[in-house]
């Protein structure tokens, strides 16, 4: 288990919160619609979260939240 970094942007936190509400997995299109976020900004945030090791991309547009314990503040 790991802790989420404290330096996440507001957009990154919203993405993580939404994916957690959806059981740890979500499609990019659903995220964009639910968060009212432009797809370009969403894709950028998803890439950053993947690089940080918080998300993994399961298919072309599906993302999985890796196992985490809690947010580090």
């Amino acid at each position: 288990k790991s802790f989420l970094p404290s330096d996440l942007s507001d957009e990154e936190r919203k993405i993580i919160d939404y994916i957690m509400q959806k059981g740890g997995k979500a499609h990019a299109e659903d995220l964009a619609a639910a968060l009212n976020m432009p797809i370009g900004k969403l894709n950028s945030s998803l890439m950053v979260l993947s690089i940080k090791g918080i998300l993994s991309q399961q298919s072309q547009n599906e993302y999985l939240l890796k196992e985490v314990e809690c947010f580090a503040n």
Side-chain angles (χ1 to χ4, degrees):
K1 294 185 179 184
S2 62
F3 294 95
L4 295 177
S6 60
D7 64 345
L8 295 175
S9 71
D10 288 341
E11 290 84 9
E12 291 167 353
R13 287 186 183 273
K14 287 177 186 176
I15 290 168
I16 292 167
D17 287 344
Y18 180 81
I19 294 174
M20 288 175 76
Q21 291 173 7
K22 293 297 179 181
K25 188 186 295 187
H27 285 88
E29 295 86 3
D30 297 334
L31 282 161
L35 302 177
N36 195 27
M37 190 179 296
I39 196 71
K41 186 173 190 80
L42 175 66
N43 284 336
S44 175
S45 295
L46 289 170
M47 185 185 320
V48 169
L49 289 169
S50 295
I51 291 169
K52 289 181 177 180
I54 297 167
L55 295 180
S56 62
Q57 189 171 1
Q58 297 300 296
S59 65
Q60 185 176 6
N61 292 314
E62 186 175 57
Y63 290 85
L64 179 68
L65 184 65
K66 293 186 177 181
E67 191 173 354
V68 295
E69 285 185 356
C70 64
F71 289 90
N73 292 321

